[in-house]
Amino acid sequence: MILRFAKTLLVFGVAVFYTLFVFNNVTDYASNYQFICHALMMDSTFPGNRGMWRALNSPAVHTIFYVCIIAWEVATMLLCWAGGARLIRALSGTAVAFHRAKNVAVVGLTLSLLMWLVAFLSVGGEWFLMWQSKAWNGQEAAFRMFTVVGTVLVFLALPDSETQP
């Protein structure tokens, strides 16, 4: 029961993080919008790099990218809250019932991992060469979040048994 409770709390922890993330991106839209703009414009990458043809300088495109990221965060947040709620309801059930209840949380955590891996590390970091920027480089934070959420997903995915404490 303790391990099930720990798994449930960690899923809720990710849900809380995403709730704050969404709250900050909505209530202080301009701050992170600037991050998206600079990353897409590649204006702080190494001078003379040959990847500048990839830069996107359209405010409309910046807005689309940012709104899509916020929508991705909202979906992740809702799935983690719902997944945590399902886990709470299954806490005292059988190992099989608790395992079945993991599905929504697994989808939410996977969606989170995809955001950090695809949107930030791959598209932002490699396509838009964010790694070259000292000022607008979110790769360290993205890697940190990928690691934290990945750890929660691996822990959640561990099988449960009726003999666990």
Side-chain angles (χ1 to χ4, degrees), residues 7 109 149-159:
K7 292 174 181 184
L109 296 170
V149 174
T151 302
V152 172
L153 178 57
V154 167
F155 182 51
L156 177 65
L158 290 175

Side-chain angles (χ1 to χ4, degrees), residues 5-6 9 12 24 35 41 48 57 70 81 91 97 100 115 119 135-136 145 152 156 165:
F5 193 63
L9 286 177
F12 278 131
N24 288 334
F35 176 87
M41 290 187 299
N57 295 305
I70 293 171
W81 281 115
L91 265 178
R100 284 189 190 128
M115 183 177 74
W136 301 102
M145 287 313 306
V152 172
L156 177 65

Side-chain angles (χ1 to χ4, degrees), residues 15-112:
V16 167
F17 173 77
Y18 270 88
T19 300
L20 295 173
F21 211 0
V22 169
F23 176 78
N24 288 334
N25 282 340
V26 170
T27 61
D28 187 14
Y29 184 92
S31 291
N32 283 321
Y33 177 74
Q34 289 305 310
F35 176 87
I36 298 297
C37 291
H38 288 288
L40 296 179
M41 290 187 299
M42 302 171 63
D43 59 357
S44 62
T45 57
F46 298 161
N49 79 66
R50 294 187 178 197
M52 289 304 294
W53 62 271
R54 303 173 193 172
L56 298 174
N57 295 305
S58 166
V61 172
H62 301 165
T63 299
I64 291 167
F65 263 79
Y66 193 35
V67 168
C68 286
I69 288 171
I70 293 171
W72 199 333
E73 294 165 355
V74 167
T76 301
M77 174 192 74
L78 294 173
L79 286 165
C80 287
W81 281 115
R86 285 177 53 118
L87 292 172
I88 284 279
R89 287 191 297 276
L91 265 178
S92 59
T94 66
V96 171
F98 187 76
H99 181 72
R100 284 189 190 128
K102 294 177 183 180
N103 290 342
V104 174
V106 167
V107 172
L109 296 170
T110 302
L111 198 58
S112 171

Side-chain angles (χ1 to χ4, degrees), residues 121-140:
L121 294 172
S122 300
V123 175
E126 293 304 320
W127 183 255
F128 291 106
L129 306 175
M130 187 170 55
W131 64 270
Q132 293 183 6
S133 176
K134 287 187 186 350
W136 301 102
N137 186 345
Q139 287 195 298
E140 186 177 316

